[in-house]
Amino acid sequence: MEKSIGESLEQRTSILGNISDLGPPDMVHLAKRVSNSSTKEPTAGTFFYYTGTDVSNSATIAALLHSIADIIDEKPQLWFGKHKFWKVCEATYCTYDAFSGVDARVKVNFPGGVELSVLDSGGKEVSSTDKVWQEIYVCGMVRALITADNDSSDFSSVVEIRKVNPMLTKERTKMFFEGFEKLFFEGTKLGCSEDLQVATNGNNNLVDAFLTCVRLTGEFKEAIAIIQRLRNIDPSINFLEAKIDLLADEEVQAVKIMHNIVDANPLDGEALTLQAEFCIEKNRLDLALPLATKAMNSAPWYFKPWSLLVEVYIKTGEYEKALLTLNSCPMVTHKDKYILKRINNPKPEDMHLPLPVDVTLDQVSTLNSVDVAIEHNRVDPTLMSLPATSLKSTFMEAYDLLTEIVHKTGWEKLLKYRTHVFVMEGEFKGGKEEEKMGDQDAVENIKKIDKLNSSTETYKSKALPETPESPSSETSDYKNKQLCERWLDNLFMLLYDDLRVYTMYKAEKMHFDAEKVEMKKTTLEWELTGLVAQRLGHKEEAASCFRKGLGNRFSPRCSSQLLKYYLELHSSVEHAKVSKPVSDLHDKILELTVNLLVWNHRWYCSFSPELILSLKDLVNEVGRVKIESEVKVQFDDKNTGIYDLVLDNLRFLDTYGLIEKEE
């Protein structure tokens, strides 16, 4: 709720000159009055955000505003504990065009007409054109597609937002494809992902959104035709055709295209990177090594090929080379992941979002933010504030690689490799390096982690390469070493913190197991412990923590992480001749998918690519009839709206012919 009516519109106007990349999410502003009020003038102003709606012209936007006003006029809203009937006096929809740097606003008066204004970066009105509307539409699609599955905790930081599927009809997808092709060479204006230094024609947010759209809709042929036309103008984007073929599981065709690209241009960094990544996935490390090396030399400013080279060295047991390569990675220090941000930041008591009641599920819909807040206040501060949780961009990816090394070597050997290849700051200055990894007792506990891991994950040891013995650091000349970059040195410190917490948890767990007593933690504690285990590569232990967390109450993060684990596990056993475990996985995947669909709906978020793809794979493997029956029996026996919610997603899959016909 605004302090003064129109405040959010004014603040949006004031930031137009400082917007970069994709800009803010679409915003709906409503000026309302209480229905039985004596005055006809608005008495309250509210606003919320929107992604995925059709903003191809002012008429479709005006129709949306009318529908919102009708819903509010018809139904009483729970306002600070009391039901009130509101009447909408006027509604305004704002949507930002990042190509031209303008903000389009459609205002509907009730009763009355429709007003359109387009504001430039200075807040002055400019004329609208067909090209501007096409740009507006494409920008709206991009924002919807690349922010749909942004990770969040129990309660999202931006809760006053509605996310809808932007591709509900083939016509809308066709419009996006047309806009993508027309605006392709302006795509760099929309910025790029956080792990890239600068946007290029083939690597930017527009391309990322396009690939997500193609993956969701299965419109592979049309997408390839578009890329083939565009590559006639810019051959450097040839690799995108191979990417689309890989999305379509056309691996043979993708390999041919990658080969032809590199054959024509041996220094094509994008194609070499894609080849290296493909070979790593196929466990052809002998082929991946030279490809990753060539990719790195062809595009030394690009983090991806460096990270692939590190990965190859890790998988082949060459940990010193892995550390040296990691130390040389080009890090992106100036960028964060694009997320939807508020225009202004109202106080919690000034925020209001009526909860939808058409879909309900016990424990999911009824999760209370107060209860979660109590858990936050009681959790161990050390667990709550582990610095590795805040890593972003290339630093997060580098940390994942470092944890992959320690998962295979153990902490003690990792330190030996580190001492052998890096000259530490104290050694460089001529003094003896002080160990900064904590007190000796803690270090001893860290060393015990290998024994604890081996007792729970012995099956992994057979697949690991032999770890070579490191030469003694005492005999190494520091002049033959590299100076460890400060950011990497910092990652070692963060790794130590994670390992310390994980070791303490494992020791505590062993104690409770020995005493045959159940270990008790709050859901948030299980969630945070699971995330630590996950960061350190202990997937089974992480999954166990997430399951225990869900045993107390619903948690969207535990559910999301557990779903990813089960989907990964399912893909590794889907060809195995074991029906019972696979059937059990189907049930777990369905339950988690439905729970998350209901949770998203609670927050007006009806669009999740991850959940759509999860449902698609499940339906095509188990059968649509069986899935629909299970949803009715397990979740919708009391007409809670869950069946219709699942059906909406199945209809989307039907629209694009993505559900296989049952014989």
Side-chain angles (χ1 to χ4, degrees):
M1 185 174 182
E2 297 176 311
K3 292 179 181 178
S4 60
I5 299 175
E7 176 187 23
S8 59
L9 292 171
E10 293 171 3
Q11 292 195 7
R12 186 177 177 99
T13 302
S14 70
I15 68 164
L16 291 178
N18 301 317
I19 292 175
S20 61
D21 294 346
L22 277 169
D26 293 2
M27 188 178 82
V28 175
H29 177 267
L30 303 173
K32 304 183 289 188
R33 63 178 175 85
V34 180
S35 294
N36 58 9
S37 171
S38 58
T39 178
K40 298 297 182 183
E41 296 299 315
T43 55
T46 58
F47 66 95
F48 58 93
Y49 301 109
Y50 226 114
T51 65
T53 191
D54 183 355
V55 290
S56 56
N57 56 67
S58 59
T60 58
I61 296 175
L64 171 69
L65 294 175
H66 273 282
S67 68
I68 292 172
D70 289 342
I71 292 171
I72 293 175
D73 289 354
E74 291 170 4
K75 297 180 180 179
Q77 291 177 287
L78 187 64
W79 192 265
F80 300 118
K82 297 180 180 179
H83 283 92
K84 286 189 177 182
F85 282 91
W86 292 95
K87 192 76 176 175
V88 177
C89 303
E90 59 184 46
T92 305
Y93 192 99
C94 310
T95 180
Y96 186 72
D97 172 10
F99 288 102
S100 296
V102 298
D103 200 42
R105 301 183 180 184
V106 177
K107 180 180 177 181
V108 177
N109 297 296
F110 301 96
V114 177
E115 301 174 21
L116 167 67
S117 59
V118 180
L119 307 182
D120 64 14
S121 59
K124 296 180 180 178
E125 283 201 37
V126 295
S127 59
S128 63
T129 63
D130 289 343
K131 184 175 184 294
V132 165
W133 278 110
Q134 186 176 54
E135 291 172 354
I136 288 169
Y137 180 76
V138 170
C139 284
M141 290 285 287
V142 173
R143 280 191 291 268
L145 286 163
I146 71 171
T147 63
D149 282 316
N150 278 358
D151 188 29
S152 63
S153 56
D154 282 335
F155 292 85
S156 176
S157 58
V158 183
V159 296
E160 63 280 16
I161 185 166
R162 185 175 191 189
K163 297 180 180 181
V164 297
N165 191 330
M167 302 163 296
L168 287 177
T169 65
K170 281 197 167 186
E171 289 74 20
R172 292 200 59 190
T173 299
K174 183 181 178 182
M175 285 171 58
F176 177 55
F177 280 5
E178 289 173 352
F180 171 81
E181 185 170 1
K182 184 77 175 290
L183 300 167
F184 179 80
F185 294 104
E186 296 182 58
T188 53
K189 293 179 180 178
L190 304 191
C192 56
S193 67
E194 73 277 17
D195 59 353
L196 291 174
Q197 296 282 4
V198 292
T200 64
N201 281 344
N203 240 327
N204 56 59
N205 284 327
L206 176 61
V207 171
D208 290 346
F210 176 70
L211 293 175
T212 299
C213 178
V214 172
R215 185 175 176 224
L216 280 170
T217 61
E219 299 285 338
F220 302 115
K221 290 183 180 178
E222 179 59 30
I224 287 174
I226 291 171
I227 297 301
Q228 287 176 341
R229 290 193 292 270
L230 291 170
R231 76 180 186 192
N232 291 330
I233 304 171
D234 182 5
S236 75
I237 67 163
N238 280 341
F239 74 99
L240 290 176
E241 183 178 351
K243 270 195 171 184
I244 295 169
D245 278 322
L246 289 174
L247 290 176
D249 289 328
E250 297 289 344
E251 292 186 347
V252 174
Q253 181 63 17
V255 169
K256 287 180 180 178
I257 291 171
M258 287 187 285
H259 170 77
N260 292 338
I261 295 172
V262 176
D263 191 45
N265 180 11
L267 297 179
D268 192 312
E270 293 282 11
L272 287 165
T273 299
L274 198 59
Q275 278 186 325
E277 192 171 20
F278 179 79
C279 290
I280 290 173
E281 289 175 1
K282 298 301 179 184
N283 204 31
R284 286 301 306 270
L285 304 179
D286 56 324
L287 299 176
L289 179 59
L291 287 168
T293 304
K294 289 178 183 176
M296 178 198 70
N297 289 326
S298 300
W301 59 87
Y302 186 18
F303 178 84
K304 185 71 173 180
W306 286 86
S307 67
L308 292 175
L309 186 56
V310 175
E311 194 171 342
V312 173
Y313 284 141
I314 294 171
K315 290 182 182 296
T316 54
E318 297 187 76
Y319 304 117
E320 292 186 2
K321 288 184 179 179
L323 287 171
L324 288 168
T325 306
L326 185 61
N327 193 52
S328 301
C329 284
M331 307 304 287
V332 181
T333 59
H334 63 289
K335 295 179 65 178
D336 286 337
K337 183 177 183 178
Y338 174 77
I339 58 172
L340 300 171
K341 297 179 181 178
R342 294 186 175 100
I343 299 300
N344 56 3
N345 290 291
K347 296 177 181 178
E349 60 267 24
D350 291 331
M351 289 171 54
H352 174 65
L353 187 70
L355 294 180
V357 294
D358 56 327
V359 178
T360 57
L361 180 60
D362 190 35
Q363 294 188 359
V364 176
S365 305
T366 57
L367 180 61
N368 193 328
S369 61
V370 176
D371 295 335
V372 177
I374 291 172
E375 285 188 27
H376 275 263
N377 292 333
R378 291 178 179 174
V379 74
D380 182 352
T382 303
L383 188 61
M384 192 72 179
S385 59
L386 283 170
T389 59
S390 60
L391 286 170
K392 300 175 182 178
S393 182
T394 51
F395 295 98
M396 181 172 63
E397 296 180 50
Y399 187 75
D400 289 341
L401 292 168
L402 191 60
T403 57
E404 196 174 335
I405 298 174
V406 80
H407 187 65
K408 293 192 172 188
T409 67
W411 174 251
E412 194 173 359
K413 282 190 176 179
L414 175 61
L415 288 185
K416 288 181 180 178
Y417 288 122
R418 175 191 185 215
T419 304
H420 184 237
V421 298
F422 296 134
V423 53
M424 308 313 294
E425 203 164 324
E427 185 182 359
F428 183 72
K429 292 177 179 177
K432 290 185 177 180
E433 185 192 52
E434 295 290 334
E435 180 57 68
K436 299 177 183 178
M437 295 298 175
D439 58 63
Q440 190 58 35
D441 290 339
V443 174
E444 289 303 317
N445 283 333
I446 292 289
K447 290 178 181 178
K448 293 176 185 176
I449 197 167
D450 297 325
K451 294 180 182 178
L452 294 172
N453 290 342
S454 63
S455 66
T456 56
E457 300 178 3
T458 52
Y459 69 93
K460 289 188 176 179
S461 60
K462 296 179 181 178
L464 298 181
E466 289 292 325
T467 305
E469 289 295 322
S470 268
S472 171
S473 61
E474 294 177 359
T475 61
S476 300
D477 186 349
Y478 80 87
K479 292 181 180 178
N480 296 325
K481 303 178 185 180
Q482 280 190 13
L483 183 63
C484 185
E485 295 288 341
R486 288 202 171 197
W487 64 262
L488 181 55
D489 196 30
N490 185 52
L491 291 189
F492 275 97
M493 303 293 285
L494 270 54
L495 178 57
Y496 170 79
D497 286 335
D498 271 357
L499 283 169
R500 179 176 52 80
V501 168
Y502 183 70
T503 304
M504 291 170 62
Y505 157 71
K506 291 286 283 184
E508 185 183 12
K509 184 174 182 291
M510 287 184 69
H511 171 73
F512 277 94
D513 289 346
E515 296 291 326
K516 295 183 179 179
V517 178
E518 183 184 0
M519 186 190 300
K520 294 193 179 293
K521 292 179 181 288
T522 65
T523 295
L524 182 58
E525 287 171 333
W526 281 121
E527 178 182 307
L528 295 171
T529 304
L531 291 173
V532 174
Q534 189 178 67
R535 284 198 297 273
L536 295 174
H538 304 294
K539 295 180 181 180
E540 293 81 5
E541 194 68 55
S544 175
C545 291
F546 296 140
R547 278 192 296 267
K548 288 174 181 175
L550 290 172
N552 297 334
R553 66 163 173 83
F554 174 76
S555 158
R557 180 168 284 169
C558 283
S559 298
S560 177
Q561 296 301 327
L562 198 55
L563 177 59
K564 290 176 185 176
Y565 170 76
Y566 285 143
L567 289 172
E568 186 179 325
L569 188 62
H570 176 263
S571 95
S572 67
V573 300
E574 61 182 340
H575 300 299
K577 297 178 180 178
V578 280
S579 57
K580 187 176 179 182
V582 173
S583 176
D584 187 41
L585 274 176
H586 290 158
D587 294 340
K588 291 174 179 176
I589 290 170
L590 179 60
E591 181 183 3
L592 289 167
T593 300
V594 170
N595 285 351
L596 286 167
L597 283 171
V598 174
W599 173 257
N600 286 349
H601 183 82
R602 180 189 189 236
W603 297 105
Y604 291 92
C605 296
S606 58
F607 177 51
S608 167
E610 289 179 1
L611 297 182
I612 290 173
L613 292 171
S614 170
L615 199 58
K616 183 192 99 172
D617 292 342
L618 202 58
V619 167
N620 285 330
E621 185 163 347
V622 177
R624 179 170 185 163
V625 174
K626 185 176 181 181
I627 292 299
E628 288 190 16
S629 299
E630 288 185 5
V631 170
K632 278 185 177 179
V633 172
Q634 293 182 38
F635 303 100
D636 212 24
D637 57 335
K638 297 179 181 177
N639 194 28
T640 54
I642 296 174
Y643 177 74
D644 290 336
L645 182 63
V646 173
L647 208 58
D648 285 342
N649 286 277
L650 294 180
R651 288 194 191 103
F652 168 76
L653 295 172
D654 270 336
T655 298
Y656 294 93
L658 298 176
I659 297 180
E660 298 171 5
K661 301 296 181 182
E662 296 183 46
E663 297 180 359

